[in-house]
Amino acid sequence: NKVLNYLESGLNIGLVTDQGTPLISDPGYKIVSYITDHGYEVVSLPGATAFVPALTVSALVPQPFTFYGFLNSKSSKQLKELESLKNHPYTLIFYEAPHRLIDTLNNIKNVFGDRKICIVREISKKYESVFRGNLSELLNNLGTIKGEYVLVVEGYNDICENGNMD
């Protein structure tokens, strides 16, 4: 309502963040919906976002892809989400916090199998790191777990299921 009042008084409003593009993995869409429901236009000027650079450096099939954002932080709910995505044929993109990274990677491996993955840390920052390989390889080679992560996971295909090219 505060934003709507500003607009009704003739002001222009900007939604700016220092944590990536607004509305990507945050509830800002509720503001957009509310404002447009009241007859106002919304203009978007995209800013920095982590999933696009992670996808482009992943060496995985870039399209089609599904951006999922954060999986549920509760393991039982996360496992259900992953089960629903297990046979999804597109490259999947997740965000993950450092304190949940290893548990999430183990859950992905347990549900999806030993798929190819690209794990990207701290995109566009001093300690940016990119790890590519199968889940089993990378789980043992991530080094210090710090920063924010983007997980780009191979989509389901016959190779994932059978483990070979036949």
Side-chain angles (χ1 to χ4, degrees), residues 113-135:
D114 197 18
R115 290 194 194 175
K116 290 180 185 175
I117 187 170
C118 180
I119 302 168
V120 186
R121 172 180 77 147
E122 295 293 287
I123 291 172
S124 77
K125 297 178 185 170
K126 182 178 180 179
Y127 296 105
E128 179 174 330
S129 303
V130 179
F131 306 91
R132 294 179 197 87
N134 286 8
L135 279 157

Short mmCIF file of all heavy atoms in Angstrom, two decimals, residues 113-135:
data_model
loop_
_atom_site.label_atom_id
_atom_site.label_comp_id
_atom_site.label_asym_id
_atom_site.label_seq_id
_atom_site.Cartn_x
_atom_site.Cartn_y
_atom_site.Cartn_z
N GLY A 113 20.94 -39.76 -8.80
CA GLY A 113 22.07 -40.58 -9.21
C GLY A 113 23.29 -39.71 -9.41
O GLY A 113 23.28 -38.52 -9.09
N ASP A 114 24.32 -40.27 -9.95
CA ASP A 114 25.62 -39.59 -10.07
C ASP A 114 25.70 -38.77 -11.36
O ASP A 114 26.50 -39.04 -12.24
CB ASP A 114 26.74 -40.62 -10.00
CG ASP A 114 28.08 -39.97 -9.71
OD1 ASP A 114 28.09 -38.82 -9.23
OD2 ASP A 114 29.11 -40.62 -9.97
N ARG A 115 24.87 -37.76 -11.46
CA ARG A 115 24.80 -36.93 -12.66
C ARG A 115 25.94 -35.93 -12.74
O ARG A 115 26.59 -35.60 -11.76
CB ARG A 115 23.49 -36.15 -12.69
CG ARG A 115 22.30 -37.01 -12.92
CD ARG A 115 21.11 -36.17 -13.26
NE ARG A 115 19.91 -36.98 -13.15
CZ ARG A 115 18.69 -36.50 -13.30
NH1 ARG A 115 18.51 -35.23 -13.57
NH2 ARG A 115 17.66 -37.30 -13.18
N LYS A 116 26.09 -35.39 -13.96
CA LYS A 116 27.01 -34.29 -14.16
C LYS A 116 26.43 -33.05 -13.49
O LYS A 116 25.21 -32.83 -13.49
CB LYS A 116 27.20 -34.00 -15.65
CG LYS A 116 27.97 -35.07 -16.38
CD LYS A 116 28.11 -34.70 -17.84
CE LYS A 116 28.77 -35.82 -18.61
NZ LYS A 116 28.79 -35.52 -20.06
N ILE A 117 27.33 -32.26 -12.93
CA ILE A 117 26.91 -31.04 -12.24
C ILE A 117 28.02 -30.00 -12.39
O ILE A 117 29.19 -30.34 -12.55
CB ILE A 117 26.62 -31.31 -10.75
CG1 ILE A 117 26.03 -30.08 -10.07
CG2 ILE A 117 27.85 -31.83 -10.03
CD1 ILE A 117 25.48 -30.34 -8.66
N CYS A 118 27.61 -28.76 -12.35
CA CYS A 118 28.56 -27.65 -12.27
C CYS A 118 28.17 -26.85 -11.03
O CYS A 118 27.01 -26.46 -10.87
CB CYS A 118 28.49 -26.78 -13.51
SG CYS A 118 29.64 -25.39 -13.47
N ILE A 119 29.13 -26.66 -10.16
CA ILE A 119 28.91 -25.92 -8.92
C ILE A 119 29.71 -24.63 -9.03
O ILE A 119 30.93 -24.67 -9.20
CB ILE A 119 29.36 -26.74 -7.69
CG1 ILE A 119 28.60 -28.06 -7.65
CG2 ILE A 119 29.17 -25.93 -6.41
CD1 ILE A 119 29.16 -29.06 -6.65
N VAL A 120 29.01 -23.50 -8.98
CA VAL A 120 29.67 -22.21 -9.15
C VAL A 120 29.49 -21.41 -7.86
O VAL A 120 28.39 -21.30 -7.33
CB VAL A 120 29.09 -21.43 -10.35
CG1 VAL A 120 29.88 -20.16 -10.60
CG2 VAL A 120 29.09 -22.30 -11.60
N ARG A 121 30.59 -20.85 -7.39
CA ARG A 121 30.60 -20.12 -6.13
C ARG A 121 31.01 -18.68 -6.36
O ARG A 121 31.93 -18.40 -7.13
CB ARG A 121 31.58 -20.81 -5.18
CG ARG A 121 31.85 -20.06 -3.90
CD ARG A 121 32.81 -20.81 -3.04
NE ARG A 121 34.16 -20.64 -3.56
CZ ARG A 121 35.23 -20.59 -2.82
NH1 ARG A 121 35.15 -20.75 -1.52
NH2 ARG A 121 36.42 -20.42 -3.35
N GLU A 122 30.34 -17.76 -5.69
CA GLU A 122 30.74 -16.35 -5.64
C GLU A 122 30.94 -15.74 -7.02
O GLU A 122 31.98 -15.13 -7.30
CB GLU A 122 32.01 -16.21 -4.81
CG GLU A 122 31.83 -16.56 -3.35
CD GLU A 122 30.92 -15.58 -2.62
OE1 GLU A 122 31.34 -14.45 -2.35
OE2 GLU A 122 29.76 -15.96 -2.33
N ILE A 123 29.94 -15.86 -7.87
CA ILE A 123 30.02 -15.36 -9.24
C ILE A 123 30.33 -13.87 -9.25
O ILE A 123 29.72 -13.09 -8.51
CB ILE A 123 28.71 -15.67 -9.99
CG1 ILE A 123 28.62 -17.17 -10.20
CG2 ILE A 123 28.63 -14.92 -11.31
CD1 ILE A 123 27.32 -17.64 -10.76
N SER A 124 31.28 -13.49 -10.06
CA SER A 124 31.75 -12.12 -10.29
C SER A 124 32.47 -11.51 -9.09
O SER A 124 32.68 -10.31 -9.04
CB SER A 124 30.61 -11.19 -10.76
OG SER A 124 29.79 -10.81 -9.68
N LYS A 125 32.85 -12.33 -8.14
CA LYS A 125 33.57 -11.84 -6.97
C LYS A 125 35.00 -12.39 -6.98
O LYS A 125 35.34 -13.25 -7.78
CB LYS A 125 32.85 -12.24 -5.69
CG LYS A 125 31.45 -11.63 -5.60
CD LYS A 125 30.74 -12.09 -4.36
CE LYS A 125 29.31 -11.55 -4.36
NZ LYS A 125 28.53 -12.16 -3.31
N LYS A 126 35.81 -11.91 -6.08
CA LYS A 126 37.23 -12.25 -6.03
C LYS A 126 37.47 -13.76 -5.96
O LYS A 126 38.40 -14.28 -6.57
CB LYS A 126 37.87 -11.56 -4.83
CG LYS A 126 39.35 -11.81 -4.70
CD LYS A 126 39.94 -11.05 -3.52
CE LYS A 126 41.43 -11.30 -3.41
NZ LYS A 126 42.03 -10.55 -2.30
N TYR A 127 36.66 -14.48 -5.21
CA TYR A 127 36.88 -15.91 -5.01
C TYR A 127 35.95 -16.78 -5.85
O TYR A 127 35.63 -17.91 -5.47
CB TYR A 127 36.76 -16.26 -3.53
CG TYR A 127 37.83 -15.58 -2.72
CD1 TYR A 127 37.53 -14.48 -1.92
CD2 TYR A 127 39.15 -16.01 -2.79
CE1 TYR A 127 38.53 -13.84 -1.20
CE2 TYR A 127 40.16 -15.37 -2.07
CZ TYR A 127 39.83 -14.28 -1.27
OH TYR A 127 40.83 -13.65 -0.57
N GLU A 128 35.54 -16.27 -7.01
CA GLU A 128 34.70 -17.07 -7.90
C GLU A 128 35.40 -18.39 -8.21
O GLU A 128 36.59 -18.43 -8.49
CB GLU A 128 34.43 -16.33 -9.21
CG GLU A 128 33.58 -17.13 -10.18
CD GLU A 128 33.20 -16.34 -11.43
OE1 GLU A 128 33.07 -15.11 -11.35
OE2 GLU A 128 33.02 -16.98 -12.47
N SER A 129 34.63 -19.48 -8.12
CA SER A 129 35.15 -20.82 -8.38
C SER A 129 34.13 -21.60 -9.17
O SER A 129 32.92 -21.47 -8.96
CB SER A 129 35.43 -21.56 -7.08
OG SER A 129 36.31 -20.84 -6.26
N VAL A 130 34.62 -22.44 -10.07
CA VAL A 130 33.75 -23.29 -10.88
C VAL A 130 34.26 -24.72 -10.75
O VAL A 130 35.45 -24.99 -10.96
CB VAL A 130 33.77 -22.86 -12.37
CG1 VAL A 130 32.89 -23.78 -13.20
CG2 VAL A 130 33.33 -21.41 -12.52
N PHE A 131 33.36 -25.62 -10.40
CA PHE A 131 33.69 -27.04 -10.25
C PHE A 131 32.78 -27.82 -11.19
O PHE A 131 31.56 -27.68 -11.12
CB PHE A 131 33.45 -27.52 -8.81
CG PHE A 131 34.16 -26.70 -7.77
CD1 PHE A 131 33.54 -25.60 -7.19
CD2 PHE A 131 35.46 -27.00 -7.38
CE1 PHE A 131 34.18 -24.84 -6.23
CE2 PHE A 131 36.11 -26.25 -6.43
CZ PHE A 131 35.48 -25.17 -5.86
N ARG A 132 33.35 -28.63 -12.06
CA ARG A 132 32.58 -29.43 -13.01
C ARG A 132 32.93 -30.90 -12.85
O ARG A 132 34.09 -31.24 -12.64
CB ARG A 132 32.90 -29.02 -14.44
CG ARG A 132 32.49 -27.64 -14.83
CD ARG A 132 32.88 -27.33 -16.29
NE ARG A 132 32.85 -25.92 -16.55
CZ ARG A 132 33.86 -25.09 -16.33
NH1 ARG A 132 35.00 -25.54 -15.86
NH2 ARG A 132 33.75 -23.81 -16.58
N GLY A 133 31.92 -31.75 -12.98
CA GLY A 133 32.16 -33.19 -12.92
C GLY A 133 30.90 -33.91 -12.48
O GLY A 133 29.81 -33.34 -12.48
N ASN A 134 31.05 -35.15 -12.08
CA ASN A 134 29.92 -35.89 -11.52
C ASN A 134 29.80 -35.56 -10.05
O ASN A 134 30.78 -35.17 -9.39
CB ASN A 134 30.12 -37.40 -11.70
CG ASN A 134 29.91 -37.82 -13.13
OD1 ASN A 134 29.75 -36.99 -14.02
ND2 ASN A 134 29.91 -39.11 -13.37
N LEU A 135 28.60 -35.71 -9.53
CA LEU A 135 28.36 -35.40 -8.12
C LEU A 135 29.34 -36.11 -7.20
O LEU A 135 29.88 -35.49 -6.28
CB LEU A 135 26.92 -35.78 -7.75
CG LEU A 135 25.87 -34.75 -8.14
CD1 LEU A 135 24.50 -35.39 -8.27
CD2 LEU A 135 25.84 -33.62 -7.13
#
